[in-house]
Amino acid sequence: MLKLSLPLRLQLSLVIVIGAALLKYEAWYWLAAYASIALIWTVLLRAPLPQLTGLLGTELIFLSCVALPLGWERASFLLVRSLVCLLTMNSFLLTLPPHSFGIALKALPVPGGLKQSLLLSGQYLEILLAEVQRMQRAAQLRGLSGPAGWLRYASAAMIGSLYLRSLERAERVYAAMVVRGYTGELPVDSKLTTKERMILFAACAIAASLTIASHICR
């Protein structure tokens, strides 16, 4: 795994995601550059491919339902851009040590309320992944092995069941956090070193250059 502190890994991931999200519509060449960066980031973090592909597949099913009504050309760009963002953030979240997402958020220069929302989103994503794995094991036990079998199993009814089960678990997890004294802030302190700030500044400069170029160049 890449030897970077958790706050720096989170901020680098966010730089990639924000830069890709701000790309000009149909800037395919610049999106390809971000896709290459996201793939390199995934390799550097050594994200577990089986879990990563399963999670991306589930998320893209939801995104397809939203994007496809916009038309094929627009939907294709939105889906690829979303895939780049999801690949980056899922790679970060899947390589986090247990219960360390709050430490990574501590150094993020955003309001406390947003940090709390991000923390709960990260916890929910971990729960969602666990439920996806349970559904995959259940599909294998029913003889639905391989990608085609999994797609047959992940019907609209099963996606709804996945959402309800993960939501119920998320509510129980949050209630347990409150019982243990969670108030939106974690009692930890995590700051970037001078070297890490230079790395972050260089990443921001590269991302800004790519995104601005997508709006200037034709």
Side-chain angles (χ1 to χ4, degrees):
M1 188 180 296
L2 191 61
K3 299 298 182 181
L4 294 175
S5 66
L6 293 177
L8 180 59
R9 283 160 53 188
L10 172 59
Q11 294 188 32
L12 289 176
S13 299
L14 289 176
V15 167
I16 299 172
V17 170
I18 294 173
L22 295 177
L23 282 174
K24 183 180 179 181
Y25 172 63
E26 288 189 343
W28 286 103
Y29 291 111
W30 309 108
L31 182 59
Y34 270 107
S36 302
I37 294 173
L39 289 173
I40 294 173
W41 185 238
T42 301
V43 173
L44 290 176
L45 291 179
R46 298 182 182 177
L49 290 181
Q51 297 179 8
L52 180 61
T53 54
L55 186 57
L56 286 175
T58 303
E59 291 168 338
L60 286 177
I61 291 175
F62 287 103
L63 288 174
S64 299
C65 297
V66 176
L68 288 179
L70 300 176
W72 174 248
E73 294 183 359
R74 186 175 181 84
S76 59
F77 182 82
L78 293 177
L79 286 175
V80 174
R81 185 170 63 180
S82 299
L83 180 60
V84 171
C85 297
L86 290 171
L87 178 63
T88 302
M89 290 309 302
N90 288 339
S91 299
F92 165 73
L93 292 172
L94 290 175
T95 54
L96 274 178
H99 312 297
S100 60
F101 189 51
I103 299 175
L105 284 176
K106 193 68 177 180
L108 202 62
V110 295
L114 182 56
K115 289 183 182 180
Q116 183 177 7
S117 299
L118 291 172
L119 175 60
L120 296 177
S121 299
Q123 294 288 345
Y124 179 74
L125 186 60
E126 182 178 349
I127 293 171
L128 180 64
L129 176 62
E131 291 296 335
V132 169
Q133 292 173 341
R134 290 178 59 184
M135 290 177 63
Q136 287 178 330
R137 287 196 297 269
Q140 292 173 355
L141 292 175
R142 289 170 173 79
L144 299 176
S145 59
W150 166 243
L151 288 176
R152 289 196 302 269
Y153 188 69
S155 60
M158 295 309 300
I159 292 174
S161 175
L162 170 65
Y163 171 75
L164 293 176
R165 289 164 57 183
S166 60
L167 182 60
E168 291 174 355
R169 284 192 57 189
E171 291 176 345
R172 293 197 299 268
V173 169
Y174 180 72
M177 291 168 63
V178 172
V179 169
R180 289 168 173 79
Y182 175 72
T183 60
E185 292 287 339
L186 295 178
V188 294
D189 188 18
S190 181
K191 296 182 179 180
L192 297 179
T193 63
T194 302
K195 182 180 179 180
E196 289 176 335
R197 290 180 180 178
M198 293 177 62
I199 295 174
L200 181 61
F201 177 78
C204 289
I206 294 173
S209 300
L210 291 174
T211 303
I212 293 174
S214 72
H215 290 271
I216 296 177
C217 302
R218 295 183 179 179

